[in-house]
Amino acid sequence: MALYEHVFLARQDLAQAQVDALAETATKIIEDNKGKVTKTESWGLRSIAYRIAKNRKAHYVMLEIDAPAGVVAELERQTQINEDIIRYMTVKVEALEAGPSAMMRKGDRDRDSRRGGERGDRPDRGDRGDRGDRSDRPRRDFDGE
């Protein structure tokens, strides 16, 4: 069986329970057609790049799927019919990611940086020291008048 990642965006005015029900519906479609969902991640309500059907935000949900190709066709057909889902994308992958997806790791990074955590990609600047008295330096924008 092939491996897929299926991400869909649900309308912003849905409650989280309704979004979870959409994910359960997608899981049921996959399992009824002899496939299986290995992981389900809800990425929460996020802003989208441009308005889609008067929505400025959307609930993001990702499913990792291990299923034959016909299952994906049926899942996409059912997704198109559902008016609560405004966008979706299914991608065939070589291997499923172990652990949290990149979007979930990004959220952890953002929370760490808000708490003042050290960033590993930027060297420590240390103490710059005293820059000296600045009154003896001429101003570049001052013409002397």
Side-chain angles (χ1 to χ4, degrees), residues 108-138:
D108 293 342
R109 246 190 349 258
D110 291 345
R111 277 191 290 281
D112 289 344
S113 67
R114 281 194 295 259
R115 281 188 245 143
E118 297 268 341
R119 289 186 57 170
D121 58 346
R122 192 164 52 184
D124 185 23
R125 290 167 55 171
D127 186 18
R128 289 181 149 181
D130 187 21
R131 294 179 68 187
D133 185 23
R134 299 192 66 161
S135 62
D136 61 341
R137 295 184 197 154

Side-chain angles (χ1 to χ4, degrees), residues 5-73:
E5 287 182 358
H6 177 76
V7 179
F8 66 86
L9 282 62
R11 289 189 344 226
Q12 65 187 1
D13 58 338
L14 296 178
Q16 187 61 43
Q18 292 171 304
V19 175
D20 293 341
L22 289 172
E24 285 298 317
T25 303
T27 301
K28 184 172 178 348
I29 292 168
I30 293 163
E31 289 174 352
D32 288 348
N33 291 301
K34 298 180 182 67
K36 69 177 181 179
V37 176
T38 58
K39 181 168 51 172
T40 303
E41 286 185 355
S42 180
W43 296 340
L45 184 66
R46 296 174 163 264
S47 296
I48 51 181
Y50 53 91
R51 276 193 353 205
I52 303 171
K54 298 183 182 178
N55 290 286
R56 293 187 183 275
K57 294 185 175 194
H59 293 274
Y60 285 67
V61 178
M62 195 245 332
L63 305 171
E64 288 187 353
I65 303 167
D66 185 6
V71 174
V72 173

